Amino acid sequence: MAPTSLAGILITAMAFLSCLRPESWDPCVQVVPNITYQCMDQALNRIPDNIPTSAKILDLSFNPLKHLSRRSFSNFSELQVLDLSRCEIKIIEDDAYQGLHNLCVLILTGNPIQSLALGAFSGLSSLQKLVAVEINLEYLEDFPIGHLKTLKELNVAHNSIKSLKLPDYFASLHNLEHLDLSNNQIQNIHHKDLKVLHQVPLLKLSVDLSLNPIEIIEPGAFREIKLHELTMRSNFNSKDVMKTCIQGLAGLKTDRLVLGEYKNERNVEKFDKFVLEGLCNLTIEEFHVAHFDYFSENTIDSFNCLANVSAISLVSLNLDDPSYFLNNFRGQQLKLVNCRSNVFPQLRHLPLKKFVYTENKGVSTFQNIELPNLEFLDLSNNGLSFKQCCSHIHLGTNKLMHLDMSFNDVINIGKNFLGLEKLEYLDFQHSTLKGINQFSVFLPLKNLYYLDISYTHTHVDFYGIFSGLISLQVLKMAGNSFQDNNLPNIFTELANLTFLDLSKCQLQQISLKAFNSTPRLQLLNMSHNNFMLLDTLPYKLLYSLQVLDYSFNHIVASKGQELQHLPNIVSLNLTRNEFACSCEHQSFLQWVKDQQQLFVEVENMLCTTPLYMQGMPLLSFRNTTCGMSKTAIGVSVFMVLMVSVVVFLIYKFYFHLMLLAGCKKYHRGGSTYDAFVIYSSQDEDWVRNELVKNLEEGVPRFQLCLHYRDFIPGVAIAANIIQEGFHKSRKVIVVVSRHFIQSRWCIFEYEIAQTWQFLSSRAGIIFIILQKIEKSLLRQQVELYRLLNRNTYLEWEDNALGRHIFWRRLKKALLDGKPWNPEETEDSENNHQEATTSN
Ligand SMILES: *[C@@H]1O[C@H](CO)[C@@H](O)[C@H](O)[C@H]1NC(C)=O
Ligand SMILES: *[C@@H]1O[C@H](CO)[C@@H](O)[C@H](O)[C@H]1NC(C)=O
Ligand SMILES: *[C@@H]1O[C@H](CO)[C@@H](O)[C@H](O)[C@H]1NC(C)=O
Ligand SMILES: *[C@@H]1O[C@H](CO)[C@@H](O)[C@H](O)[C@H]1NC(C)=O
Ligand SMILES: *[C@@H]1O[C@H](CO)[C@@H](O)[C@H](O)[C@H]1NC(C)=O
Ligand SMILES: *[C@@H]1O[C@H](CO)[C@@H](O)[C@H](O)[C@H]1NC(C)=O
Ligand SMILES: *[C@@H]1O[C@H](CO)[C@@H](O)[C@H](O)[C@H]1NC(C)=O
Ligand SMILES: *[C@@H]1O[C@H](CO)[C@@H](O)[C@H](O)[C@H]1NC(C)=O
């Protein structure tokens, strides 16, 4: 097959496989089995088959569905939420959603709808929220939703709607609470547009008209109309248009009016006192203003019209000094959020009950206020410092119940809340508290039930710190520290405490009596501390304790009392500790296993020691070996080790031991050499490099007789062989190779040796077969062949293991020659033992 055609087939096959993908593999994410499915952006053109009919929440957004025909979803009658955002839907046929009796939320955002059948939404008998943002809608009259009597929220923002004319069907949308018409093309609002609201008042309705380019509001258009909320942000391109339009709102009654702009949509460049004068003819409960750039002293008068308003929120404004226009305010609630000003508002003698001043910029120091009716004060997130805190002198009230000073700078506690005895809620978190250890600062706060001093850089070394807080139920003090990292007995008066957060406090120990007076405690958070042992003894009186969080500590095990002191516990979080999964702690480990249902993520409680259990679940600990006594295990392990060491040493130094055993007599024999080596000169390399090296330089040391160096020069060769070779050597090593058999000289040497062997009756020939030799060649030397068959011989093998065995056997054979007197052989065994023991 040509390579090109092969490549062609491969490419076709791969293309085929990749086409298969959307159908054969599951495109959706099952978020909650049988309930929630997420199929976003999967190039689907219909609902995938594998979505079960029990599905309640289905996200099909960003799929090219294009066309919704009749009963497209009828198989999914349980659906409650259906998201069809940006599905390129152009056509929705009659009864497209038929069968979705339970659908509450339908999202159609971003579909370029061209054809919407009159019965498109029929069958949606429970629909509460319809999001039809950016669907090319021009006329509300054309939107076939009149029968959706359950509808609470209709969002048709970001369309091309030109008129606020509310169609007659609004009269039947009794439940409508929120109508979002923002970001459309509405320019003029006429009296007749809101006729339906005159006929059938929708008292709960909030209308958002923001981001419409409104030019004219016909005076009286809103007369006698009551709305819950009207929002008009970034509607006007100049202050004059704004002024006339606000006048046009005359007669409107609303709980909340929201005016202003958006951060990135600024049109009204200047603001003066006349802009808001129309507000005098409105009835407003709460007034909200956001994002007006220029808003200062000359607007004071406009706030005169807000005298009867009960709540004002000023969000993201530039205010030189807010007190200028606020000092006439007679309402009860004031919010200043994210505003920039130069001074802390000098609020005096206002009837305010609630003052929220958060996330403001430009002011660094708190100034005393005087608000005798104030009950709720939120000063959080301003980065303020407080030179003195806190008493009725600083806050100018005796009625304060809620005080939030969190996320500020340094707060000096100089006064112990004198005159603020009504306080119930106090939050200092993430501010730096100074002076809290000097005296019992909370002493008069008999009504306080909530106290948060988390992350206030508090180092507790004063035991009276919480004295007087007899009603306290919630105490949060994470991220602080204690003297000696020991939790002292500081909760003595907190008899009603139910929630205590002591996480991240570097704690290592708990004083035994710390919780003796808090019998109602239900939740105790000890996570992220430095505890090494789980000690439940201090909790023995906490009969109400249900949740105990000891995660992120260094707990190895418990102190052994375990559950007996936590009788009513429901949830125990011991994840992320450093458990020792060893027999020493088996009762703790067994307890965890027995009480699994109590533990949070018990399968994620992991062992840290011993090393071989590291990272394994604590539950995988097996106690089978724990029965044996420790000493038994220790001794047997030691024995096994010792035996192995001895065996190893004997194996390694076998010849050294042999040598020691027989060393005294070793040289007594008459022989000068241990062996005379007969070999072919062709094998001289092997003899020099292997044989001589291993035998003459190894242990024990052997002396070989080699003709190339040991024969006496000048003496006849035969004489040399006999005198030097045979007579002075105990053994004869014959290196048999192909060369040896072919060399006559070797044959000669060998024959002499044989004769000599018989004569001296010493069993001393060692054959070494250097290379495999064919039998036919060997048979030419009948005698040698016979001898080889009769005697054992050594075969040379050129690999690590083979060599090792070869040399051991050869050395053994050489030693075996009984060089000393034959009758001493019997003693060699004893000598051997002596040598070992004396060593
Ligand atoms: C999902 O539904 C199938 C069929 O109705 C059922 O067998 C299965 O147990 C359900 N799974 C869950 C998690 O409820
Ligand atoms: C509904 O389910 C039936 C049977 O499972 C199937 O034949 C039909 O095509 C499905 N209808 C839709 C609109 O998916
Ligand atoms: C608004 O109130 C002023 C008096 O404060 C009055 O002169 C004016 O006619 C009122 N305008 C409307 C439209 O009611
Ligand atoms: C405030 O209410 C009082 C009494 O209800 C009324 O007389 C006064 O005109 C109102 N002021 C404004 C600005 O609406
Ligand atoms: C403690 O709580 C109980 C019940 O919630 C209540 O009856 C009692 O008055 C409280 N004690 C104090 C000192 O607030
Ligand atoms: C305990 O505090 C840590 C951090 O401070 C927090 O993550 C954890 O949720 C708290 N535990 C409980 C049970 O509230
Ligand atoms: C410990 O477990 C509880 C219960 O699940 C959980 O609320 C808490 O956040 C956990 N603690 C931490 C530090 O995650
Ligand atoms: C080991 O665990 C089993 C239960 O799994 C228990 O019955 C047995 O007593 C334990 N053995 C030891 C030695 O603790």
Side-chain angles (χ1 to χ4, degrees), residues 586 590 623 626-627:
Q586 61 166 314
Q590 192 60 44
N623 68 359
C626 294

Side-chain angles (χ1 to χ4, degrees), residues 126 248 285 347 403 450 482 502 518 539 564 582 755 810:
S126 303
E285 276 293 301
L347 300 179
L403 177 58
Y450 184 101
F482 290 86
L502 284 166
T518 56
Y539 308 136
Q564 69 192 60
S582 56
T755 329
L810 181 56

Side-chain angles (χ1 to χ4, degrees), residues 24 539 558 801:
S24 56
Y539 308 136
S558 83
L801 181 66

Side-chain angles (χ1 to χ4, degrees), residues 642-658:
M642 283 308 292
V643 167
S644 341
V645 166
V646 167
V647 165
F648 175 77
L649 286 177
I650 288 178
Y651 181 76
K652 173 119 186 164
F653 296 106
Y654 178 78
F655 294 109
H656 298 72
L657 292 172
M658 294 284 285

Side-chain angles (χ1 to χ4, degrees), residues 102 152 289 375 403 522 569 745 756 769 805:
N102 295 306
K152 279 189 173 166
V289 186
E375 292 173 359
L403 177 58
Q522 291 172 7
I569 200 94
W745 168 246
W756 165 80
I769 309 283
I805 295 171

Side-chain angles (χ1 to χ4, degrees), residues 92 97 106-109 111 113 115-121 124 127 129-148 151 153-157 159 161 165 167-170 173 179-181:
I92 303 183
Y97 304 102
L106 175 59
I107 303 173
L108 286 172
T109 300
N111 286 294
I113 295 178
S115 161
L116 190 61
L118 278 178
F121 297 116
L124 296 174
L127 198 67
K129 177 170 173 176
L130 176 57
V131 181
V133 172
E134 216 186 319
I135 60 159
N136 283 347
L137 192 63
E138 283 188 47
Y139 302 101
L140 280 175
E141 285 95 329
D142 295 351
F143 207 43
I145 55 171
H147 60 288
L148 301 178
L151 205 61
E153 184 175 343
L154 175 61
N155 189 342
V156 286
N159 280 297
I161 298 169
K165 168 110 185 69
D168 292 341
Y169 64 70
F170 269 77
L173 303 180
L179 173 60
D180 192 343
L181 279 161

Side-chain angles (χ1 to χ4, degrees), residues 705-717:
C705 174
L706 299 163
H707 63 76
Y708 71 84
R709 55 167 203 210
D710 296 319
F711 281 7
I712 297 154
V715 178
I717 284 175

